[in-house]
């Protein structure tokens, strides 16, 4: 799948409340949210073409761990990487 390069930058951390085993995640800045959403949509299209049914996700994030402790959203030192075409 061709993909134009995009920077993905995380600037916040928090937990999603799932009433138990809560995912602790890094959240993207607004520009990265758009890039991740476009990538997720493109990957979902390819998975559907292959006969699979990907689960929808509304919030671009990267899960680091699962824990019963809930961590409120807070700013972190920005970290990230560059998404590039694998060809």
């Amino acid at each position: 799948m061709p993909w134009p390069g995009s920077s993905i930058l995380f600037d916040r951390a928090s937990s999603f409340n799932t009433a138990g085993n809560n995912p602790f995640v890094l959240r993207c800045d607004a520009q990265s949210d758009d890039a991740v959403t476009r990538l997720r949509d493109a990957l979902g299209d390819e998975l559907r073409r292959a006969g699979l049914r990907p689960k929808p996700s509304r919030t671009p994030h990267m899960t680091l761990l699962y824990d019963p402790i809930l961590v409120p959203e807070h700013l972190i030192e920005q970290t990230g990487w560059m998404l590039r075409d694998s060809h």
Side-chain angles (χ1 to χ4, degrees):
M1 176 181 83
W3 180 255
S6 296
S7 293
I8 303 300
L9 300 174
F10 298 98
D11 63 357
R12 295 167 285 150
S14 65
S15 296
F16 291 140
N17 188 347
T18 59
N21 203 15
N22 307 303
F24 178 71
V25 302
L26 297 181
R27 299 278 313 274
C28 301
D29 66 357
Q31 185 175 348
S32 296
D33 271 356
D34 292 340
V36 171
T37 298
R38 288 191 313 273
L39 177 60
R40 182 188 63 227
D41 292 346
L43 289 172
D45 291 345
E46 293 297 322
L47 290 170
R48 281 185 282 284
R49 276 191 204 93
L52 301 172
R53 293 183 290 170
K55 291 182 180 181
S57 174
R58 298 179 192 266
T59 305
H61 65 278
M62 183 172 69
T63 302
L64 299 178
L65 60 93
Y66 294 86
D67 196 88
I69 297 171
L70 280 173
V71 178
E73 184 173 282
H74 59 281
L75 295 176
I76 61 170
E77 183 177 336
Q78 199 172 61
T79 187
W81 66 86
M82 181 72 158
L83 289 175
R84 292 188 292 266
D85 187 348
S86 63
H87 290 76

